[in-house]
Amino acid sequence: MDKLNVVTCTAPVNIAVIKYWGKRHEELILPINSSLSVTLHQDQLKTTTTVATSRSFLEDRIWLNGKEEDISHPRLQSCLREIRRLARKRRNDGDRSLDSTSLSHKVHICSVNNFPTAAGLASSAAGFACLVYTLARVFDVEGELSGIARQGSGSACRSLYGGFVQWIMGQQEDGRDSLAQQVEQETHWPDLRILVLVASADKKTVGSTSGMQTSVKTSCLLKHRAESVVPERMVEMTEAIRRKDFAAFAELTMKDSNQFHATCLDTYPPIFYLNSVSQKVISLVHQYNRHYGETRVCYTFDAGPNAVIFTLQQHVPEFVQVVQNFFPPETNGGQFVKGLPVDHVALSEELKKAIGLEPTPKGISYIISTKAGPGPQVVENAAQHLLGSDGLPKKSA
Ligand code: DP6
């Protein structure tokens, strides 16, 4: 066995507050509108990827969450090809510090999530961001990587940065200007909190890729949204974040989520991602805000029924208690709240009455409490590599 060149990195999940839905180019993954997201903290949600190269490897191979997968998947191939192309370009441009042999070496890739796939979170974003970031380290490629991650999964380009991130749709046909860009750092809005309400363990019915294809073909609402609604919202959202104006941020976030799901319903045949629990969460949030006469919490939903809630730190304990009250968990079950600790508070009868919903036992399995976080990181500790010295997944990976 020849010597291995091994690198391990982690990358975050991101949640869009202005949604990406629809492509103008399928292979290059070019969107019909710009989008904007918040990067979640990796202490709660992350992908870890190890990439190894060696002269001894006979072929490129990949293991995802403990299972070997087919590396010939076109999107994986795009990412590998683009990283190798950049590496070759750097070497041809005369950077002699690069080891000229390693470019022809095959790679072994091993990737795991620290959150259950059953949580139904956009794991492809963290996964492709992590893959591209780690490959870039292995092949000593520097600079703009979001255009490569984008070709793995559109939303993945936004996971290459921390904090608040926009994906600018771009104009060029080859996609060279369709890139992600940080809007504000993760430290910008310290009291912003995020609660992921895991509603169901069901796998999503229609995947994003095929769902958005049908929407582009059939929904005139989506066309209107992309051309006339999103451009203004991008400006308003960036401003709301810059000013840390929670009410403005929250209202835009809810309206954009609702419009995305409206375009799904306007798709023919229609696509339903929200279920009865999602609808109840929506009512609960609006009733809660109405009771206080101000927007204290907001929701957003991707291609699945799980709500992602944004609020400010001071409202977290009460809102979590409200969720627990209207979606009573199994009494013998594990922890209801995971992640950042949440204090217990008592709810007033007045608040419960104001919300006035029938409780739905076990409607929500658990909550992940988190905040905005940084972009991808290199893991320096070799003990945390997912591939062993034989280039195969360690037992724990
Ligand atoms: C609803 O990035 O998963 O989460 O580009 O086809 O891989 P592909 O789609 P993907 O779509 C994400 C859609 C969304 C909204 C968003 O994250 O902006």
Side-chain angles (χ1 to χ4, degrees), residues 134-170:
T134 316
L135 282 171
R137 292 279 166 159
V138 167
F139 288 110
D140 228 348
V141 170
E142 275 167 7
E144 176 44 57
L145 298 172
S146 71
I148 303 180
R150 188 200 74 227
Q151 296 177 56
S153 182
S155 54
C157 72
R158 299 185 311 237
S159 275
L160 281 175
Y161 298 95
F164 302 82
V165 184
Q166 59 175 330
W167 172 12
I168 298 173
M169 65 177 286

Side-chain angles (χ1 to χ4, degrees), residues 14-21 23 26 29 35-37 75 122 124-125 128 150 152-156 158 167 204 208-210 212 260 301-303:
N14 73 75
I15 297 295
V17 290
I18 302 291
K19 304 290 186 195
Y20 147 55
W21 194 252
K23 297 181 186 64
E26 286 295 326
I29 310 198
S35 54
L36 202 152
S37 58
R75 289 176 169 200
S124 70
F128 276 105
R150 188 200 74 227
S153 182
S155 54
R158 299 185 311 237
W167 172 12
K204 60 184 170 192
S208 322
T209 307
S210 74
M212 64 178 87
F260 155 52
F301 297 82
D302 284 337

Side-chain angles (χ1 to χ4, degrees), residues 72-227:
S72 71
H73 191 286
R75 289 176 169 200
L76 281 172
Q77 287 299 318
S78 298
C79 293
L80 277 164
R81 187 188 59 235
E82 291 306 309
I83 290 285
R84 283 178 167 136
R85 196 211 306 276
L86 277 187
R88 202 164 297 122
K89 183 166 175 300
R90 251 195 101 188
R91 203 183 57 192
N92 293 343
D93 289 350
D95 190 339
R96 294 283 151 217
S97 68
L98 290 178
D99 166 11
S100 58
T101 56
S102 67
L103 264 177
S104 59
H105 290 176
K106 301 295 182 199
V107 295
H108 282 189
I109 302 161
C110 186
S111 192
V112 295
N113 297 328
N114 73 341
F115 52 94
T117 319
L121 292 157
S123 54
S124 70
F128 276 105
C130 205
L131 172 73
V132 168
Y133 191 81
T134 316
L135 282 171
R137 292 279 166 159
V138 167
F139 288 110
D140 228 348
V141 170
E142 275 167 7
E144 176 44 57
L145 298 172
S146 71
I148 303 180
R150 188 200 74 227
Q151 296 177 56
S153 182
S155 54
C157 72
R158 299 185 311 237
S159 275
L160 281 175
Y161 298 95
F164 302 82
V165 184
Q166 59 175 330
W167 172 12
I168 298 173
M169 65 177 286
Q171 307 295 335
Q172 305 276 349
E173 266 181 39
D174 64 2
R176 113 180 71 132
D177 57 351
S178 187
L179 302 170
Q181 207 176 64
Q182 190 174 57
V183 173
E184 295 287 352
Q185 293 187 343
E186 59 272 22
T187 50
H188 170 70
W189 200 345
D191 46 357
L192 188 70
R193 286 291 176 278
I194 301 150
L195 304 168
V196 183
L197 273 42
V198 180
S200 115
D202 289 354
K203 279 203 86 174
K204 60 184 170 192
T205 41
V206 182
S208 322
T209 307
S210 74
M212 64 178 87
Q213 272 169 8
T214 321
S215 297
V216 169
K217 272 190 216 136
T218 62
S219 168
C220 53
L221 176 57
L222 180 62
K223 190 167 150 55
H224 168 68
R225 162 180 168 74
E227 286 170 6

